[in-house]
Amino acid sequence: MMTKPTEEQRKAIIENDKSYDDQFFYAVKTTKIFCRPSCKSRVPNFDNVRIFLTAENAIKAGYRPCKRCKSGGGRLPDEEWVAHVELYIKENYTKPLTLDKIADNCHGSPYHLHRVFKSIRGITPLEYLQQIRMSKAKEYLLHTEFPIQEIGELVGIANASRFSTLFKEKNKQTPRDFRKEYQKEGVKK
C-alpha cells in the first residue's frame, strides 16, 4: 500500500529518526529510490514522496533501494546503481553538477560512486557527464544556428570560454570550426 506522508512521518524523515526504521519506507518519485526514515540523504520535496509499509511494496511499485541506507535489506547491485546514475546524469546534464551532487541525488558517497562507476564504465561520472554535454553540443551545432555561448549554456557550461576549451579538448577543433566544417561539407558528424 502506498500513501502520502503524515506529519509524524515527515518529521521522522527530516530528523533521520532511526526509531521509525522498519515501520515505513519513503519513496521519491523523481529519483525512483526508496529509503528508510533514518537515511542521511537530502530531505526530499514531500510533494514527490510516497510512503510504503514494506520494502517489497516499494520494489513492486518500481522503486529501487537506496545505496546509502540499504533500504532493500541488502546492497543494490553496482550495475543497477551505475545505470541509475547514468540516467540521472542524462536527465540533469544541463544543471551545474558536481560529483557530490550526483552522489547525493543517487544516494551514495562521492568516493564510492567514483570508484564503482569507473570500475564498471571505465570512465568517471564527471567524464561521462562531459561526454553527454559534448554530444548534445554537437547536435546543437549541427542542427541550429544558436550562438556558441548559448549552446554552452544549453548543455550546462555557462562560461563560453570554458565551453570552447572543453569542446576543443574533446573534439580536436573549436565549436566554430566544427560548425563551419559541417556546413561546408554538408555531412553529419
Side-chain angles (χ1 to χ4, degrees):
M1 184 171 106
M2 173 177 60
T3 61
K4 290 193 176 238
T6 64
E7 277 307 310
E8 181 181 5
Q9 290 167 331
R10 284 177 188 238
K11 185 174 187 254
I13 294 166
I14 291 168
E15 295 175 358
N16 308 117
D17 192 335
K18 197 171 188 73
S19 68
Y20 284 87
D21 283 3
D22 298 325
Q23 289 185 30
F24 73 91
F25 295 86
Y26 72 94
V28 182
K29 288 192 304 188
T30 52
T31 63
K32 298 302 282 174
I33 292 175
F34 72 96
C35 297
R36 299 173 189 276
S38 64
C39 188
K40 299 291 185 194
S41 62
R42 180 187 318 172
V43 175
N45 174 346
F46 284 102
D47 291 338
N48 297 321
V49 170
R50 298 295 174 263
I51 300 297
F52 292 91
L53 298 180
T54 67
E56 293 77 27
N57 288 344
I59 290 169
K60 284 179 188 171
Y63 293 93
R64 291 183 290 281
C66 173
K67 277 286 241 198
R68 182 173 286 156
C69 69
K70 297 178 178 60
S71 54
R75 284 187 37 181
L76 177 67
D78 288 342
E79 286 280 346
E80 272 186 57
W81 188 44
V82 167
H84 173 68
V85 171
E86 287 176 327
L87 181 63
Y88 176 78
I89 291 171
K90 284 178 185 172
E91 291 175 348
N92 294 282
Y93 72 91
T94 61
K95 298 175 182 165
L97 294 179
T98 63
L99 186 61
D100 285 343
K101 281 185 183 178
I102 296 168
D104 191 42
N105 279 288
C106 296
H107 297 244
S109 75
Y111 171 77
H112 185 65
L113 171 60
H114 188 275
R115 189 173 51 75
V116 170
F117 197 98
K118 186 161 185 168
S119 73
I120 290 175
R121 296 293 183 249
I123 59 174
T124 68
L126 294 181
E127 288 170 332
Y128 181 75
L129 170 63
Q130 295 308 350
Q131 283 182 355
I132 298 295
R133 286 176 168 169
M134 291 302 105
S135 174
K136 296 295 183 182
K138 283 181 178 180
E139 287 179 31
Y140 283 121
L141 288 165
L142 296 176
H143 303 293
T144 73
E145 294 299 320
F146 295 154
I148 306 283
Q149 181 173 347
E150 187 175 340
I151 292 172
E153 291 170 3
L154 288 170
V155 300
I157 306 171
N159 182 309
S161 174
R162 175 71 185 131
F163 170 67
S164 291
T165 300
L166 186 61
F167 191 93
K168 187 172 182 177
E169 271 177 33
K170 302 292 182 190
N171 299 289
K172 309 294 185 237
Q173 62 188 148
T174 65
R176 184 169 280 111
D177 290 342
F178 178 86
R179 182 179 262 168
K180 278 184 195 172
E181 184 177 318
Y182 166 74
Q183 289 172 340
K184 191 164 87 174
E185 293 176 12
V187 177
K188 282 189 181 182
K189 290 225 173 219

